[in-house]
Amino acid sequence: MTDDNAAAALRPPEDPLSDPFWKSLADGRLTFQKCKHCGNSWLPARGECPKCLQSDWAWENASGDAKLISWIVYHRAFHPAFADRLPYTVAVVELAEGPRMTSNIVGVADPETLKVDQRLRLTIEQDFGMAVPRFIPV
Amino acid sequence: MRGKYVIAGIGQTAFGGLPGRSTVSLNVEAVRNAIADAGIEKDIVDAVMVKYPTSRFEGMYSQKVAEALGLMPGINCVLDQAGASNASLIGYAAMAIEHGQCDVAVVCFADNPKTGSRAAYARSRDANAMFGFFGTPAAYAMLARRHMGQYGTTHAQLGAIAVACRRHGAQNPKAQLRKALTVDEYLAQPMMVAPFRRDDCCLVSDGGAAVVVMSAERARQLKVRAPVAILGFGQGHTAWDVTQRPDLTTTMATVSAATAFKMAGLGPKNIDVAQIYDCFTITALMTLEDYGFCKKGDGGHYVEGGRIEIGGELPMNTAGGLLSETGMPGLQMVLEGVRQIRGEAVTQVPHAKTCIVSNQGGIMHTHSTLILAQP
């Protein structure tokens, strides 16, 4: 197991902009930002819509449906906190609502059998003392 | 400006592990060798343009380099485009001379991550460390997996790029890794960050390199021995991070190359030899597609069968590239382009009259292109 200090270092730094994203996950909801001005949706958190540049946006709940854009499988740890988790999978995931995010794919015996664009479903797991959004193949 | 400016001199340090050498010291050695190669006096250099050391960003770095060179230049700057910086600086040097801002420019780079710190290459790719997304190879592997899924690119095709670079590097007495590789040896290696094996990944290297840029007319006045013309240059920047990119397998290298080809009045079929930035195998494969040497998605087929090796249709990375000569981010590719056009390369491509050079950085975020030719 990862010790408490190491886990703390992996948690996101406190930031007024992104704190709501992580707090919602602790309540069981994956959220994204949606622009009230132009309707664009995005992650990760930012102050202005990257399409129309307005600051008039709100957090919305994601359905949890997603697709797999790409994924990699670590067979060597680049950080000591992950040395006892090898092999593990990191992915770029596109939510049904449009935003893309980094995540992990779990619940698959052999990640080499995954396919690009395959359907995924959100699962929120407790890890490193926080709620981590991960995805399982549908 | 086509052909109006030249690379008048090139210089480098040894590549590999150079313990105890500061990056400023390595820059000075590379510049000393470049101005000696050009056959000019140091004091006519009035522009010092530097890519900052990747392993340690520090303020006012180019001013420290200029001071160590004993120069008070008219132009003195660092450019932050990661691995694209040096090729872009050569373009900016030409533009600055064109507009009377300086006369003779040096562009240089040095770093010491092999004997110093390589932490810059192992950091988290974004603020999401809890996912374990650490290290530069992982982010490029993400692009490679998408390319494999989208276009059917195979491990052996990625390996063909490593094989070509290692074959060329093995012949280069100054290369850091002089060990040829076969596709079977490549495929027999274990995965590091799948779909990447170790030999998909660039070297970590100490060393420096420098070039001297001036007008072709000035080179004639100064009786420069072997100037090489800059026919075209361009840039393109894929600004968002990997997760944010609408298409993981196409980059703004397309615009960079199109701009350079337009300026040069040339197209891919006119290129005799190529130096294609190969920090990872996928980088070179996608760049060949984005440059128009083959269709998007056909890069895997294109690199097979020795096409990119000496004797093939488009000999590439003829000194070994980042996979074999040195992991230096880009300037070594310009130096080898100059040697090929001069006819002085170890792995000389017969009758090479044109060379395209790609420099790129981040996770294929930044891109810069140079087209070099005989004057």
Side-chain angles (χ1 to χ4, degrees):
Chain A
M1 282 299 293
T2 312
D3 68 45
D4 289 346
N5 285 339
L10 297 172
R11 290 197 287 269
E14 285 200 24
D15 168 31
L17 207 51
S18 58
D19 283 350
F21 175 81
W22 301 108
K23 289 200 171 94
S24 295
L25 282 164
D27 297 336
R29 293 177 297 117
L30 176 64
T31 55
F32 60 91
Q33 285 171 295
K34 184 166 180 135
C35 180
K36 293 179 181 174
H37 188 73
C38 75
N40 183 38
S41 300
W42 68 87
L43 282 174
R46 36 179 117 232
E48 296 78 31
C49 170
K51 188 171 174 192
C52 74
L53 312 185
Q54 299 302 309
S55 319
D56 190 17
W57 49 263
W59 289 100
E60 300 230 342
N61 291 332
S63 63
D65 291 327
K67 71 174 179 180
L68 179 61
I69 299 301
S70 191
W71 78 102
I72 54 177
V73 186
Y74 280 79
H75 294 274
R76 200 187 99 189
F78 282 65
H79 188 288
F82 292 85
D84 60 359
R85 293 167 178 246
L86 299 174
Y88 69 95
T89 303
V90 177
V92 174
V93 163
E94 183 176 296
L95 305 184
E97 294 81 4
R100 287 184 177 184
M101 58 183 287
T102 305
S103 185
N104 303 116
I105 306 299
V106 293
V108 55
D110 179 6
E112 294 298 323
T113 63
L114 292 166
K115 305 282 181 209
V116 293
D117 297 330
Q118 84 169 72
R119 313 310 307 179
L120 303 170
R121 179 74 200 163
L122 173 70
T123 179
I124 299 174
E125 298 184 341
Q126 286 297 315
D127 204 351
F128 304 120
M130 63 177 290
V132 179
R134 293 179 171 141
F135 290 84
I136 50 175
V138 174
Chain B
M1 285 178 63
R2 179 188 192 276
K4 193 172 168 188
Y5 296 91
V6 299
I7 295 177
I10 57 174
Q12 67 180 69
T13 66
F15 298 140
L18 304 170
R21 295 289 300 279
S22 73
T23 63
V24 169
S25 163
L26 294 169
N27 267 307
V28 170
E29 181 186 344
V31 170
R32 183 177 75 213
N33 292 337
I35 60 179
D37 181 60
I40 61 170
E41 295 299 319
K42 179 189 86 171
D43 293 338
I44 68 167
V45 172
D46 60 356
V48 177
M49 305 168 81
V50 188
K51 181 211 176 307
Y52 69 93
T54 309
S55 68
R56 194 165 80 99
F57 193 95
E58 58 181 276
M60 303 297 281
Y61 183 76
S62 68
Q63 286 70 23
K64 293 169 191 167
V65 172
E67 185 181 270
L69 290 168
L71 293 171
M72 291 194 286
I75 290 180
N76 193 195
C77 63
V78 154
L79 184 64
D80 179 10
Q81 292 179 356
S85 305
N86 283 126
S88 292
L89 283 170
I90 290 169
Y92 287 130
M95 289 189 276
I97 301 168
E98 170 77 10
H99 293 290
Q101 300 297 304
C102 61
D103 181 37
V104 176
V106 295
V107 173
C108 61
F109 169 79
D111 202 358
N112 55 9
K114 186 169 175 66
T115 56
S117 169
R118 57 184 77 186
Y121 300 111
R123 66 178 181 270
S124 171
R125 291 318 310 170
D126 47 33
N128 299 322
M130 73 292 297
F131 299 118
F133 194 21
F134 288 92
T136 306
Y140 279 89
M142 197 70 85
L143 305 183
R145 177 82 75 177
R146 179 73 194 180
H147 201 281
M148 297 168 93
Q150 216 168 348
Y151 300 114
T153 305
T154 66
H155 289 282
Q157 289 168 341
L158 292 177
I161 291 172
V163 167
C165 295
R166 292 278 289 274
R167 177 187 162 195
H168 301 155
Q171 297 170 63
N172 175 2
K174 292 179 179 169
Q176 180 177 332
L177 178 58
R178 301 190 63 201
K179 191 173 174 226
L181 177 76
T182 67
V183 172
D184 286 343
E185 287 166 351
Y186 167 87
L187 291 171
Q189 283 177 9
M191 290 292 172
M192 187 175 77
V193 183
F196 278 171
R197 298 164 166 88
R198 187 195 59 191
D199 283 337
D200 288 292
C201 306
C202 77
L203 304 173
V204 174
S205 312
D206 300 344
V211 302
V212 179
V213 179
M214 64 178 68
S215 70
E217 185 186 355
R218 196 82 168 93
R220 277 190 295 275
Q221 289 170 359
L222 293 166
K223 299 185 169 52
V224 169
R225 178 183 67 86
V228 166
I230 302 166
L231 286 196
F233 50 84
Q235 298 181 33
H237 302 284
T238 309
W240 284 13
D241 211 335
V242 172
T243 56
Q244 304 297 312
R245 216 167 277 185
D247 182 358
L248 265 57
T249 53
T250 300
T251 74
M252 288 289 284
T254 50
V255 170
S256 180
T259 305
F261 277 131
K262 186 180 176 195
M263 180 175 167
L266 300 175
K269 66 179 185 303
N270 306 116
I271 298 300
D272 297 328
V273 56
Q275 311 300 333
I276 304 294
Y277 199 97
D278 56 335
C279 52
F280 298 90
T281 50
I282 189 65
T283 317
L285 191 148
M286 280 172 53
T287 301
L288 288 168
E289 295 173 343
D290 287 341
Y291 275 21
F293 286 103
C294 60
K295 279 196 318 194
K296 180 52 67 180
D298 282 352
H301 293 296
Y302 184 83
V303 299
E304 285 182 311
R307 182 182 270 119
I308 58 170
E309 297 181 26
I310 292 289
E313 182 183 319
L314 185 74
M316 185 181 101
N317 302 3
T318 44
L322 281 78
L323 292 170
S324 191
E325 184 183 26
T326 164
M328 168 183 288
L331 203 43
Q332 78 279 36
M333 311 302 268
V334 179
L335 267 56
E336 174 63 6
V338 167
R339 289 189 294 262
Q340 285 286 348
I341 297 302
R342 287 176 171 178
E344 297 172 354
V346 172
T347 55
Q348 184 61 45
V349 174
H351 317 298
K353 292 185 173 60
T354 55
C355 180
I356 197 162
V357 180
S358 84
N359 273 191
Q360 69 99 53
I363 312 300
M364 302 194 81
H365 297 154
T366 65
H367 199 99
S368 193
T369 309
L370 291 175
I371 299 174
L372 306 176
Q374 291 175 347

